Each structure stands twice: as structure tokens, then as C-alpha cells.
Amino acid sequence: MVSITTDFAPPFKLIVPYFIVGTLIYLISALLTLNFDVSTLHYLDASVLSWVHLFLLGFAMMIIFGAMAQLIPVVLEVGHWAVELFYIIWPLLLIGLLLMVFGFSVSSSFLPFGGTFILISIGIFVLNVFVTLRKVETFSLVVKTVIFSNVFLFMGLIFGIVMALTFSGALSLNVMVLLKAHVYLIVGGYIGVSIMGLSLVLLPMFGLSHNFSKVPITVAFYMLSVGVICVTLSSILNLDLIMYLGYTLSIASFFIYFAQIVLIYKTRARKENDIWVKSMFFAYFSLITSLLLGIIYLLTGNDSILMAGGWLFFMGFIGFIISGHLYKIVPFLVWFERFSPLVGKKKVPMLADMVPTKSATYQLVFTSTGIAICTLGLLFSHDTTFKVGASFLIIGAIYLTHGLFHMIGLKAE
């Protein structure tokens, strides 16, 4: 288990806006799925591009940024170079996201402005990370994942800005060439590598796992990184051989990463299958299923299979990895902020007592059911089935939002 300390932890008020904004955008993303007509839907439709950016930037990356604000100094045992910058990162990211969504759904002229705000926001985040890393003396695997993921993030953002300028008419380039690199750098390079690094910290910490081999995740991290680089180069150089090598390495890396998760699970001391463990089960089931669908897509070229696999990877894997960890991270931060000073003076709650178990269970059931039904709707291009699943998904998102505000609102009596 990675050694951690709370000596360098930033204040809770700095981090909580990331979780609130991210969860509210998750709810909005769920509501917007009702607008899809999956019988005619294509992954290059403006509605899909708008939704993907809303989900990934507004939910996934917003909450990852908040988690990184807490975990980078805690794990690296050094303070942020300029922790105050996190007060402006999320508003800039939110403004850029809204302009980007308007750009896809209303007028492409908004895209360069949205891209500029996002570039500034993420640029500040990356700058803070790399200046902070200069203080680190030991470059562990977790530190390497932070370095690689942020390099991929910034590169992916550059491709995104160029695409925004192309969509708006300011540049005349082949968008499809840029799209592949942009998607792979952000989803595989930043989010994928970040999840691998965070898993090496959070899963052993919350599961009390010890003495497990880190060989699988080390191999997975390097394979995914090489895979992302291969796909990016193939987009620029138009080399199909390198592209398929990148796809193969990326898919294989996640299977190896899954083997690491199994090792961590088998060595855990905490055997209780709480809402976090159940969320992880569904997340990793979604991951394996999405990878299998990805392989089938590469063999068949069926766009419905691609849409279903992408949906499972985004909503099932990324969505549940993040939402499940909120039930661990938020209670810990609230307890540390409001209850730890009272230890020995009055009765304080246990971390498990701070989770709204009934609401969290409803969220798990409704969201997982909705994701499964939506996947069937996408596979068979059946709009009614998809909208039934979306309705379940919305109810689950409401319960998630309620649970988050409940945990944040807990105070000492």
C-alpha cells in the first residue's frame, strides 16, 4: 500500500466545488441522454460530441482534478506549488465547457472561445502539477503516472484546440485525423493513466490491501502509454499498422490492469462488500465488457457495437469508478475537516456512518440497471429501449446528487 500523509492536504473548501459541480453535471448529462435518437445516432453527431465533452470535462475531469488537488500532495508528501490556483481552475473549466457545449449545439463560433478557457484552465493545472513535482525526490510508479497523464492531457488539449478552430472555419484541416489523436490522448492517456495511478493509491487504502505484486499495473501503465503514443503518431502519419498496434496494446493494457485489481482485491483485509466495493464490481465488469465489444468492433466495423462499447466504458467504467469513490473520499474529507478536531472531546461518527447507505444503494441499482438497458438499446439501435434505460439512469443520478449533498452537509452536533 502506498504511504500517505495528511500533513500537506489542502482545505476542504478548495476541493468541494469540484465534487459539487462534477456531480451536478453528471445529473445534467443523464437528463440529456433523453434527447438521443439511437436509431439514427452516430458518434460524430453534434449531440454526441456535445454530450461526450460535457461528461468527460464536466464530470470525469472535474472530479479527477478535485481528487488530484487532495491526493497529489498527500501521496507525494510535498505541498502544492500554488494551491490557491485551484480556486480558479474549476470556474475557468466550467465556463470553457459551457461555451464548448454551445459551440457543438448552437453555433461552432463558440468553440474557439470555449477551447481557450479550457486551455487556460488545464494549462494552470498542468503547470501547478509539474512545478510541484520538482520537489519530489523519489519517482515511484504513482509519480510516473501523474507525469505521463498530464503530458498526454496537455497534448490532447492542443489537438482539441486545433479541432475547435477547424470546426469554426478558422483552419482547414482533416478533423478525422485530429479526432483520433485527441480522443486517445484524453481518454486513454489522461483519464486511463490517471485511473491506473489512482487505483494504486485508493484501492489498497480503502480495501486495506497489503503485500501484493505491482508488476501487472506497471506493465499495464507502460503498455497503455505506448499504445496512446502509437495511435497519436498513426493519426499524424496516417499509418494503419501503428494504429492497430496502439489499439492492441491499449486493450491488452486494460486486461492486465484488471488482473492487478483482482490481486488487490484478493489481498484486502477489509472483507465487507459495501457500496464502494459493489460500485467497483460493476465498474470493472463494464470495463471488461467494453473491451470485448471494442475487439468485436475492430473485427466487424459495426458502429452500433462501437457506440455500446464506448457507452459502457464512459458510463459504466469511468462513471462508477468515480461515483463509487465519492462515497469514500467525501466522508473522509468531511470527517478530517469537521470531526477529527473533536476526537477525545465528544463522540464522533465512523466514516461508514457518514455514507447515506439507502440512497447510495438506490443509486447503484438504478444507475447500473439504466446503463445495462441503454447498452442494449445502443447495440440494437432501439430508441425506446435506450430511453427506458435513460430514465433509470436519471433516477440514479438524482440519488447520487442527494448522497453527495448529504455527506457534504454533515456537521458536528
Side-chain angles (χ1 to χ4, degrees), residues 162-404:
V162 175
M163 288 178 62
L165 292 171
T166 303
F167 274 116
S168 68
L171 295 176
S172 179
L173 297 171
N174 186 341
V175 175
M176 288 304 298
V177 171
L178 302 171
L179 177 64
K180 199 176 296 178
H182 174 64
V183 170
Y184 238 76
L185 284 165
I186 298 296
V187 178
Y190 179 68
I191 296 178
V193 172
S194 292
I195 286 176
M196 287 185 181
L198 289 171
S199 297
L200 200 54
V201 177
L202 298 178
L203 297 186
M205 180 173 67
F206 294 139
L208 297 180
S209 300
H210 302 276
N211 301 322
F212 54 85
S213 171
K214 296 177 185 177
V215 171
I217 200 164
T218 303
V219 173
F221 159 60
Y222 284 114
M223 284 182 67
L224 178 57
S225 299
V226 174
V228 170
I229 293 170
C230 285
V231 174
T232 303
L233 289 175
S234 73
S235 299
I236 299 171
L237 303 176
N238 194 26
L239 296 173
D240 287 346
L241 180 61
I242 297 179
M243 178 184 68
Y244 284 107
L245 174 62
Y247 288 159
T248 302
L249 289 172
S250 301
I251 292 173
S253 72
F254 278 107
F255 278 113
I256 296 171
Y257 164 67
F258 179 74
Q260 179 70 70
I261 301 307
V262 173
L263 280 178
I264 294 174
Y265 179 77
K266 286 182 176 179
T267 58
R268 66 185 181 130
R270 182 176 288 146
K271 300 298 183 181
E272 179 188 4
N273 287 332
D274 57 9
I275 196 68
W276 171 72
V277 173
K278 294 174 182 176
S279 296
M280 296 305 101
F281 280 157
F282 187 82
Y284 288 112
F285 171 79
S286 298
L287 171 63
I288 295 300
T289 307
S290 68
L291 293 176
L292 294 174
L293 289 173
I295 294 172
I296 295 172
Y297 167 73
L298 291 176
L299 296 175
T300 64
N302 188 315
D303 284 344
S304 295
I305 293 174
L306 175 63
M307 294 284 286
W311 170 264
L312 265 182
F313 189 84
F314 287 163
M315 293 299 295
F317 176 55
I318 296 176
F320 261 94
I321 280 285
I322 293 174
S323 63
H325 276 93
L326 286 176
Y327 293 117
K328 289 289 189 179
I329 295 173
V330 175
F332 173 78
L333 295 178
V334 173
W335 189 92
F336 184 74
E337 174 80 10
R338 298 175 185 162
F339 296 102
S340 63
L342 303 176
V343 173
K345 300 176 183 177
K346 61 168 61 177
K347 185 179 180 180
V348 297
M350 301 289 288
L351 289 176
D353 299 331
M354 300 172 65
V355 177
T357 305
K358 184 177 293 187
S359 176
T361 302
Y362 288 147
Q363 180 264 324
L364 173 68
V365 171
F366 277 102
T367 306
S368 58
T369 302
I371 290 171
I373 296 174
C374 284
T375 302
L376 292 175
L378 288 167
L379 274 174
F380 298 103
S381 299
H382 196 275
D383 191 57
T384 302
T385 301
F386 183 85
K387 284 184 168 53
V388 170
S391 301
F392 279 89
L393 188 65
I394 291 167
I395 297 171
I398 292 172
Y399 276 114
L400 176 64
T401 307
H402 167 267
L404 178 75

Side-chain angles (χ1 to χ4, degrees), residues 90-104:
W90 74 264
L92 290 172
L93 182 58
L94 180 60
I95 293 169
L97 173 62
L98 294 176
L99 289 171
M100 188 70 71
V101 170
F102 272 106
F104 283 118

Side-chain angles (χ1 to χ4, degrees), residues 40-113:
T40 59
L41 202 63
H42 190 270
Y43 60 86
L44 290 179
D45 289 348
S47 60
V48 174
L49 294 174
S50 178
W51 185 90
V52 167
H53 282 82
L54 187 68
F55 178 82
L56 290 180
L57 284 171
F59 169 63
M61 291 179 64
M62 186 73 74
I63 291 182
I64 288 175
F65 282 2
M68 287 295 188
Q70 172 73 21
L71 288 172
I72 285 177
V74 167
V75 173
L76 304 184
E77 299 186 16
V78 295
H80 278 291
W81 168 60
V83 70
E84 296 81 7
L85 290 174
F86 281 92
Y87 286 112
I88 64 170
I89 289 174
W90 74 264
L92 290 172
L93 182 58
L94 180 60
I95 293 169
L97 173 62
L98 294 176
L99 289 171
M100 188 70 71
V101 170
F102 272 106
F104 283 118
S105 57
V106 179
S107 172
S108 59
S109 61
F110 285 99
L111 290 174
F113 299 103

